[in-house]
């Protein structure tokens, strides 16, 4: 189960030289533009809004120092171009590579004293651990540091909501909207391309998110299930819900055409491990050597790279259509 918990753990100013009255007019225009910018900032902050669990948050000004308590939050902040504001991340954070230089504040059990010592303007927490970390989060709040709980996203619509909430929190609402629109455009393009795959050529896919001796797969209500639907593939375990525990016999009975493994982080050679399992010899995916490893972060971490995850799945499941 530890592996499953780990799983459940990205304006240029142009000036010209003019003389005389033209220069004066330019200066006045510059003042007007500056005034509009200042008004825009004033409109954004102070800001009052509710987080994912209904807490009312008030931020007096745009945060300059941020602590992130989950990798997905971190990726979104970096994706919004504000990674330089992050001063603390978890031990699980691994993307982008710059996070390696950030102060580590622990994992699911974070170091409250270290977080307070970093003096952040806001802490980005997560709904999935808000209850278990309630005491620690209260200590942070009692120290006068705002805590914003980001929603636990389990589908693309809720991912978009989490990106928008982070954008609102850190003063990047417009960039967050652009990120969401970019993801939608990419995903829609993949879905449109997948429509040309006839129903009788749909492939059945078994996704392994935890290897033996504790086999787990992905059922309904997960990103991976939604991703398979987008690329017009059938989830072999689609009758299951969430992260479902499986047995060798139940997997063999599914007879998947393709097997996807996301276990590369803790299995040295996950593809060969599956290809050589005893009792799986009659599975079509084994017989045809249709077993592929994908980056678990791309397909399970609720952030901007999920669109890349869909593309990676599409390329290995339907190479004739997408790997060109």
């Amino acid at each position: 189960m530890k592996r499953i918990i780990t799983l459940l753990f990205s304006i240029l100013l142009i000036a010209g030289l003019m003389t005389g009255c033209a220069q004066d007019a330019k200066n006045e225009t510059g003042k007007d533009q500056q005034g509009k910018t200042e008004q825009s900032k004033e409109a954004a902050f102070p800001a009052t809004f509710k987080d994912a669990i209904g807490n009312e948050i008030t931020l007096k000004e745009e945060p300059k120092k941020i602590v992130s308590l989950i990798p997905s939050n971190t990726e979104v902040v970096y994706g919004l171009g504000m990674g330089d504001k992050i001063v603390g991340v978890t031990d699980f954070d691994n993307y982008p590579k710059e996070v390696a230089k950030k102060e580590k504040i622990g994992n699911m059990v974070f170091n409250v004293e270290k977080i307070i010592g970093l003096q952040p303007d806001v802490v980005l927490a997560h709904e999935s651990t808000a209850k278990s970390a309630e005491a620690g989060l209260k200590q942070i709040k009692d120290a006068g540091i705002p805590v914003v709980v980001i929603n636990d996203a389990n589908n693309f619509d809720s991912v978009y909501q989490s990106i928008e909430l982070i954008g609102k929190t850190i003063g990047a609402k417009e960039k967050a909207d652009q990120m969401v629109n970019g993801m939608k455009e990419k995903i829609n393009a993949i879905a449109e391309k997948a429509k040309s795959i006839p129903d009788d050529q749909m492939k059945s896919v078994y996704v392994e998110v935890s290897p033996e001796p504790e086999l787990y797969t992905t059922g309904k209500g997960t990103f991976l299930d939604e991703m398979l639907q987008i690329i017009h593939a059938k989830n072999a375990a689609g009758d299951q819900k969430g992260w479902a525990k499986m047995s060798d016999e139940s997997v063999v009975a599914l007879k998947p055409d393709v097997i996807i493994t996301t276990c590369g982080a803790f299995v040295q050679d996950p593809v060969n491990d599956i290809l050589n399992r005893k009792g799986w010899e009659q599975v079509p995916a084994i017989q045809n050597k249709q077993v592929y490893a994908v980056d678990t972060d791309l397909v399970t971490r609720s952030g901007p790279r999920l669109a890349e995850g869909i593309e990676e799945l599409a390329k290995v499941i339907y190479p004739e259509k997408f790997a060109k």
Side-chain angles (χ1 to χ4, degrees):
M1 289 303 296
K2 181 179 180 181
R3 289 189 291 260
I4 299 302
I5 294 173
T6 301
L7 289 174
L8 298 174
F9 268 88
S10 105
I11 300 178
L12 178 64
L13 179 63
I14 301 176
L17 295 177
M18 298 180 67
T19 59
C21 292
Q23 179 64 56
D24 293 337
K26 174 180 177 292
N27 289 341
E28 290 302 316
T29 301
K31 289 178 181 178
D32 290 342
Q33 292 294 344
Q34 183 179 1
K36 289 179 181 178
T37 301
E38 289 174 352
Q39 289 175 7
S40 175
K41 286 185 177 179
E42 288 174 2
F45 292 93
T48 298
F49 54 91
K50 289 187 178 180
D51 68 5
I53 58 175
N55 292 327
E56 187 169 279
I57 310 297
T58 296
L59 298 176
K60 295 181 180 179
E61 56 186 22
E62 182 178 312
K64 295 181 177 61
K65 296 171 67 178
I66 302 166
V67 166
S68 171
L69 300 185
I70 196 168
S72 56
N73 289 348
T74 305
E75 287 202 22
V76 173
V77 174
Y78 268 94
L80 295 175
M82 294 193 172
D84 59 325
K85 293 186 176 184
I86 292 183
V87 295
V89 297
T90 74
D91 299 337
F92 295 134
D93 280 76
N94 58 2
Y95 186 89
K97 62 182 181 181
E98 288 80 8
V99 300
K101 300 177 182 179
K102 301 294 183 179
E103 189 72 30
K104 299 298 184 291
I105 50 82
N107 41 58
M108 296 181 74
V109 181
F110 50 81
N111 188 321
V112 175
E113 290 75 17
K114 180 175 283 190
I115 292 173
I116 294 174
L118 290 171
Q119 299 181 317
D121 298 307
V122 69
V123 169
L124 296 177
H126 199 256
E127 186 179 8
S128 63
T129 56
K131 190 65 178 177
S132 60
E134 188 174 11
L137 295 178
K138 184 179 184 302
Q139 285 182 264
I140 294 171
K141 292 177 187 177
D142 289 344
I145 300 170
V147 173
V148 179
V149 178
I150 307 302
N151 58 295
D152 185 13
N154 53 21
N155 56 46
F156 282 94
D157 285 340
S158 54
V159 170
Y160 302 148
Q161 292 171 13
S162 66
I163 292 172
E164 289 165 355
L165 178 54
I166 291 173
K168 182 189 300 183
T169 300
I170 67 175
K173 184 181 183 302
E174 185 175 340
K175 289 183 179 179
D177 291 340
Q178 292 172 353
M179 177 182 286
V180 168
N181 290 334
M183 289 179 68
K184 288 180 177 179
E185 288 177 7
K186 185 167 187 175
I187 293 170
N188 288 340
I190 294 172
E192 190 63 31
K193 196 171 185 178
K195 286 182 180 180
S196 63
I197 300 170
D199 288 347
D200 61 358
Q201 292 181 24
M202 283 181 65
K203 293 183 180 180
S204 172
V205 182
Y206 169 74
V207 182
E208 184 165 290
V209 296
S210 178
E212 293 180 324
E214 292 182 329
L215 291 174
Y216 274 83
T217 190
T218 178
K220 295 177 183 177
T222 63
F223 291 118
L224 280 160
D225 182 68
E226 191 172 358
M227 288 175 171
L228 292 175
Q229 293 179 43
I230 290 170
I231 63 174
H232 206 53
K234 178 185 176 183
N235 184 355
D239 59 339
Q240 303 291 327
K241 290 184 179 180
W243 306 105
K245 190 170 185 177
M246 305 291 286
S247 65
D248 287 296
E249 293 76 17
S250 61
V251 175
V252 171
L254 294 175
K255 298 180 179 179
D257 300 310
V258 179
I259 295 176
I260 299 293
T261 172
T262 66
C263 307
F266 40 83
V267 176
Q268 187 172 1
D269 191 348
V271 171
N272 276 324
D273 176 65
I274 292 173
L275 285 171
N276 294 302
R277 282 184 189 162
K278 293 182 179 179
W280 288 39
E281 295 85 0
Q282 300 306 310
V283 175
I286 302 295
Q287 293 178 332
N288 299 316
K289 292 183 169 48
Q290 297 293 297
V291 181
Y292 305 98
V294 298
D295 185 340
T296 183
D297 293 341
L298 287 182
V299 294
T300 61
R301 186 175 289 177
S302 58
R305 291 196 296 158
L306 281 175
E308 295 177 38
I310 295 178
E311 190 171 41
E312 183 171 341
L313 284 174
K315 286 179 178 179
V316 297
I317 294 171
Y318 295 117
E320 66 284 353
K321 173 66 66 173
F322 291 96
K324 294 180 181 180

